[in-house]
Amino acid sequence: MLAYIIRRLLWSVVLLLVVSLVIFLIFFILPTADPAELRAGRNPDPELVAAIEAQLGLNRPFYVQYFFFIRDIVTEFNFGRSYQNNVDVREEIFSRIPATASLALGAAFVWLVIGLLIGILSAVKRGTILDRLAMGAALVGISAPVYWLGLVSIYLFSNDIGRFPIFEPPGTYVAITEDPTQWLKSLLLPWLVLATAFAAVYARFMRSNLLEVMGEDYIRTGRAKGLKERAVVFRHGVRAAITPIVTIFGLDLGILLGGAILTESVFNIPGIGRTAFDAISKGDIPIVQGTVIIGATAIILLNLIVDIVYAFIDPRVRY
Amino acid sequence: MALLEVKDLKVHFQTDDGLVKAVDGISYSVDVGQALGIVGESGSGKSVSSQTVMGLTRAGNAHISGEILFEGKDLLKASDDELRRIRGNDIAMIFQDPLSSLHPFYKVGEQIAEAVRIHNPDGTRAQARDRAVEMLGLVGIPEPRNRADAYPHEFSGGMRQRAMIAMALSNNPKLLIADEPTTALDVTVQAQILDLIERLQSEFDAAVVIITHDLGVVAEIADEIAVMYAGRIVEHAKTDAVFHAPEHPYTWGLLGSIPRMDAPRDEELVPIPGRPPSLINLPSGCSFHPRCPYVRDAHKKVDPSLEPVAGDPTHRSACLLDSSVRKRIWSDLQAGRRPEEARALELDGGTPEMVAKHAQEPPKAAG
């Protein structure tokens, strides 16, 4: 098990190197605004631009730039400085992690509870009105884009412009360390919106998994033992049906921890996704690179955690 | 009073393709300490009938009628909760594939202990576990205390079925239903499992219903055998009579298709031609008639009922042939004649010479 984890960690490093190289290549090849010009201010004279290019190393060959980029990350954990406002990329991104984590973890909790409960109910009551309504709603939830749902929900429920002022409006996020009550209130609506599509996917997935499991021989054994149906469903059925969900949950959470770009933008939450979005629109390549690498790290780590957890929830899996 | 008495049990399933008459009016009874074998091909209704005894076929699309009297109480009228209390306690069941029948995520000992705790809610976890270990030892699992902590995939096929048996017997059931208990196992392990069931039956003084497609499996273990075909019992007799004086062409077919140690080495096995009928559109008359080598035109119209055989009130058969004709055909078959020879001789008025000529022609596929 330990050998497996070490091997996986080493592979993760390789994977991150590949990701960083691809990202670097993309921004090197793609025509973006010249960073040196961005730095130089309005109507710069060419000498100044050249000087800044030299200072940033932009006049060096591609592979030299990449080498310095990686060297700085490995030796100093330094992602460089923003072309836009010269802030330290690492500090900029790390200061955004709590907001993104608050959004992602809270939403994950909501969608797991709602999605799994609906999925289980639908499977147990298969073919009933309840099942059809739930699955119909799930289809709507999957089909509604999160930015649209976000805007509609703000219009309906935000207590500044909303018809039914229930939730805090966008842009009211504060860190949990500052004001926990306000933190909770400001995140309720984003959680619900972000969780909707996921809850719908999880409900459908849970339903189909559970239906399949309930047809297994060991479920019949459970009934033949004289177990109550509730115990058959939860202790034997859900226990087996939930394992594949752990896999997709890890992936989804990893992706969101790398930044929920749409939700953060719609609700004006200062997270990694918003930062990435702003950086992309301004051509601030160091920040974009930093967010991509942080995002990739989150996905790779969550993936590893899922695989480790899997060995504990499914005794047949051994590494 | 019989321990289990099934009377005119019908289990029909409404499906999109039509009404599936999986079990269509069967009756049998099992006494304390007795073993009944139910034999038939896949789709003959043998598993559905026994799962219905356990209440496992209760579903929206199942129409169940008749009576299932267990200790005089009609299980078909029992509430779900009453049935649940009987399941795993008074009546226990083991299934065909022990790997898929055990939960892959729970330890074997836990799964047995769970069965104990359901019906002994006042007992402690430790007591249930001790009972599980005791049962594992009883069914011949070495080092049961350690092996109780193994997962099903860490057991061999035979050990898994032993574990299933341990689970089934953990609450001292009065009736054990074994549904194809050896089908998924290696031949050598099959014999061990059958020996185990037989030994435990006498130790626990339980009645056993053993369901199989293989007459060889029930030969030693069963006191009586019911042969099922297309949802009905076509022959029911003491085990000895089924093997030595069977009175139904389907039983003859089953016997002719299993190898025998006492037969000459070059004797051919004779398969039953054709396939079991669709349970949605049963053949008219005797439902075995499309596959029966001895079919006559009248058999396609009249539906035979299970009648006692002349000279043996415990032996019943659902065949339209005259009992004396059946006895002659059986002795022809015993003498090594092929079904089509026996037919020519006994039904079509052939002389032994004609039969000899017939035998030289390549055999025609019947059915």
Side-chain angles (χ1 to χ4, degrees), chain A residues 217 221 223 225-226 235-236, chain B residues 87 100-101 103 106 114 119:
Chain A
D217 287 349
T221 305
R223 293 201 178 107
K225 280 183 195 178
R235 211 183 306 157
H236 290 223
Chain B
R87 278 206 290 263
S100 60
S101 296
H103 200 294
Y106 292 111
E114 184 184 38
H119 301 288

Side-chain angles (χ1 to χ4, degrees), chain A residues 3-301:
Chain A
Y4 171 81
I5 294 173
I6 291 170
R7 203 167 63 235
R8 280 289 301 267
L9 282 172
L10 289 177
W11 271 113
S12 303
V13 171
V14 174
L15 197 54
L16 278 175
L17 271 176
V18 172
V19 169
S20 66
L21 181 62
V22 170
I23 275 301
F24 204 86
L25 263 175
I26 289 174
F27 290 127
F28 194 82
I29 294 165
L30 282 184
T32 47
D34 184 352
E37 279 178 19
L38 280 177
R39 274 289 184 84
R42 277 168 197 271
N43 305 322
D45 62 84
E47 280 165 34
L48 179 60
V49 173
I52 294 173
E53 267 185 358
Q55 185 202 341
L56 293 176
L58 295 173
N59 53 354
R60 311 265 195 109
F62 152 76
Y63 51 87
V64 176
Q65 288 188 44
Y66 179 68
F67 173 75
F68 286 137
F69 174 64
I70 294 297
R71 185 198 62 188
D72 288 351
I73 293 178
V74 172
T75 56
E76 303 166 28
F77 200 52
N78 177 3
F79 289 82
R81 286 182 172 274
S82 160
Y83 290 161
Q84 199 69 36
N85 48 17
N86 207 30
V87 295
D88 184 32
V89 170
R90 184 184 62 189
E91 272 172 30
E92 173 71 8
I93 292 176
F94 276 48
S95 70
R96 304 295 185 116
I97 287 178
T100 291
S102 301
L103 176 66
L105 292 174
F109 177 76
V110 173
W111 91 58
L112 271 187
V113 171
I114 295 179
L116 297 190
L117 274 181
I118 290 180
I120 293 167
L121 266 178
S122 258
V124 172
K125 307 273 179 201
R126 171 159 72 150
T128 61
I129 299 276
L130 182 83
D131 175 28
R132 277 158 213 225
L133 280 179
M135 286 306 108
L139 199 61
V140 173
I142 290 171
S143 313
V146 70
Y147 50 86
W148 176 83
L149 199 64
L151 292 175
V152 169
S153 66
I154 288 170
Y155 177 69
L156 286 177
F157 302 116
S158 159
N159 63 15
D160 51 1
I161 58 164
R163 287 299 187 81
F164 314 97
I166 302 172
F167 297 110
E168 289 287 291
T172 51
Y173 172 84
V174 297
I176 188 170
T177 45
E178 254 174 66
D179 182 353
T181 324
Q182 179 60 26
W183 171 83
L184 182 74
K185 280 158 81 180
S186 69
L187 281 171
L188 278 176
L189 192 56
W191 281 343
L192 289 175
V193 168
L194 182 56
T196 301
F198 285 102
V201 173
Y202 280 57
R204 287 165 61 101
F205 196 40
M206 186 68 201
R207 177 182 183 273
S208 66
N209 277 353
L210 187 56
L211 281 178
E212 193 183 317
V213 166
M214 291 308 283
E216 294 281 349
D217 287 349
Y218 53 79
I219 295 297
R220 185 180 60 191
T221 305
R223 293 201 178 107
K225 280 183 195 178
L227 270 181
K228 290 190 174 136
E229 190 60 22
R230 190 159 22 100
V232 172
V233 170
F234 282 93
R235 211 183 306 157
H236 290 223
V238 172
R239 173 69 180 78
I242 210 160
T243 44
I245 289 190
V246 172
T247 309
I248 60 162
F249 177 68
L251 283 178
D252 286 342
L253 194 61
I255 291 169
L256 281 185
L257 283 176
I261 292 185
L262 294 174
T263 314
E264 287 176 15
S265 300
V266 169
F267 289 98
N268 202 4
I269 296 168
I272 296 172
R274 255 278 306 289
T275 307
F277 179 75
D278 291 346
I280 291 168
S281 49
K282 289 172 188 157
D284 197 345
I285 290 167
I287 300 253
V288 177
Q289 283 171 337
T291 53
V292 169
I293 288 173
I294 293 293
T297 310
I299 292 170
I300 290 170
L301 277 184

Side-chain angles (χ1 to χ4, degrees), chain B residues 100-176:
Chain B
S100 60
S101 296
L102 286 163
H103 200 294
F105 296 167
Y106 292 111
K107 291 170 182 167
V108 171
E110 282 176 13
Q111 299 190 46
I112 299 172
E114 184 184 38
V116 175
R117 280 171 63 78
I118 295 165
H119 301 288
N120 304 279
D122 301 332
T124 64
R125 272 176 192 282
Q127 284 168 342
R129 186 186 150 81
D130 286 347
R131 176 67 175 160
V133 171
E134 181 195 345
M135 289 306 301
L136 283 174
L138 213 59
V139 297
I141 304 270
E143 294 182 66
R145 195 154 288 279
N146 294 328
R147 301 303 284 170
D149 287 330
Y151 288 95
H153 70 272
E154 297 167 327
F155 271 22
S156 69
M159 283 168 76
R160 286 179 204 132
Q161 195 60 294
R162 286 171 192 270
M164 281 298 290
I165 293 171
M167 186 193 296
L169 296 181
S170 58
N171 289 311
N172 295 317
K174 294 167 185 156
L175 174 66
L176 174 68

Side-chain angles (χ1 to χ4, degrees), chain B residues 29-346:
Chain B
S29 67
V30 190
D31 290 321
V32 175
Q34 202 200 12
L36 169 72
I38 300 182
V39 180
E41 287 165 290
S42 337
S44 61
K46 56 193 195 301
S47 290
V48 171
S49 64
S50 54
Q51 287 183 23
T52 304
V53 172
M54 295 281 281
L56 294 177
T57 53
R58 289 189 173 189
N61 65 341
H63 305 287
I64 305 173
S65 66
E67 279 181 293
I68 298 176
L69 302 174
F70 182 75
E71 298 185 310
K73 181 179 170 58
D74 189 353
L75 298 185
L76 288 182
K77 295 199 178 73
S79 71
D80 284 348
D81 216 41
E82 285 172 309
L83 255 184
R84 192 180 64 67
R85 272 183 246 276
I86 291 171
R87 278 206 290 263
N89 197 20
D90 294 324
I91 307 178
M93 191 158 182
I94 57 178
F95 300 99
Q96 174 170 343
D97 183 351
L99 178 59
S100 60
S101 296
L102 286 163
H103 200 294
F105 296 167
Y106 292 111
K107 291 170 182 167
V108 171
E110 282 176 13
Q111 299 190 46
I112 299 172
E114 184 184 38
V116 175
R117 280 171 63 78
I118 295 165
H119 301 288
N120 304 279
D122 301 332
T124 64
R125 272 176 192 282
Q127 284 168 342
R129 186 186 150 81
D130 286 347
R131 176 67 175 160
V133 171
E134 181 195 345
M135 289 306 301
L136 283 174
L138 213 59
V139 297
I141 304 270
E143 294 182 66
R145 195 154 288 279
N146 294 328
R147 301 303 284 170
D149 287 330
Y151 288 95
H153 70 272
E154 297 167 327
F155 271 22
S156 69
M159 283 168 76
R160 286 179 204 132
Q161 195 60 294
R162 286 171 192 270
M164 281 298 290
I165 293 171
M167 186 193 296
L169 296 181
S170 58
N171 289 311
N172 295 317
K174 294 167 185 156
L175 174 66
L176 174 68
I177 301 176
D179 188 354
E180 301 263 11
T182 59
T183 306
L185 304 176
D186 290 344
V187 181
T188 46
V189 181
Q190 282 187 8
Q192 294 171 12
I193 294 295
L194 289 172
D195 283 348
L196 178 67
I197 293 176
E198 205 175 7
R199 177 169 67 84
L200 293 176
Q201 184 202 358
S202 56
E203 249 169 65
F204 282 72
D205 201 24
V208 172
V209 173
I210 186 161
I211 297 150
T212 178
H213 65 276
D214 184 352
L215 268 171
V217 164
V218 288
E220 295 218 9
I221 213 169
D223 302 299
E224 284 180 22
I225 291 175
V227 178
M228 279 190 77
Y229 187 79
R232 302 225 184 136
I233 293 176
V234 292
E235 179 158 18
H236 187 149
K238 299 242 183 276
T239 301
D240 206 41
V242 168
F243 281 93
H244 296 111
E247 292 256 359
H248 195 283
Y250 180 60
T251 316
W252 300 337
L254 287 178
L255 288 166
S257 57
I258 53 172
R260 292 173 56 139
M261 295 297 282
D262 58 352
R265 197 176 263 239
D266 57 349
E267 192 188 72
E268 278 179 64
L269 295 179
V270 185
I272 304 174
R275 293 198 302 169
S278 152
L279 295 172
I280 295 175
N281 287 312
L282 282 175
S284 62
C286 172
S287 52
F288 186 58
H289 87 248
R291 301 172 72 188
C292 182
Y294 318 102
V295 62
R296 326 216 76 186
D297 281 345
H299 301 173
K300 297 172 185 171
K301 298 185 188 91
V302 187
D303 194 3
S305 56
L306 197 61
E307 307 276 356
V309 166
D312 184 356
T314 64
H315 192 161
R316 283 168 297 155
S317 167
C319 181
L320 295 164
L321 290 170
D322 198 62
S323 184
S324 58
V325 175
R326 294 200 299 250
K327 286 185 168 65
R328 288 207 308 271
I329 293 177
W330 172 244
S331 58
D332 288 345
L333 292 172
Q334 286 293 88
R337 293 201 209 280
R338 302 179 59 83
E340 57 271 20
E341 296 165 13
R343 178 193 170 98
L345 199 60
E346 305 300 343

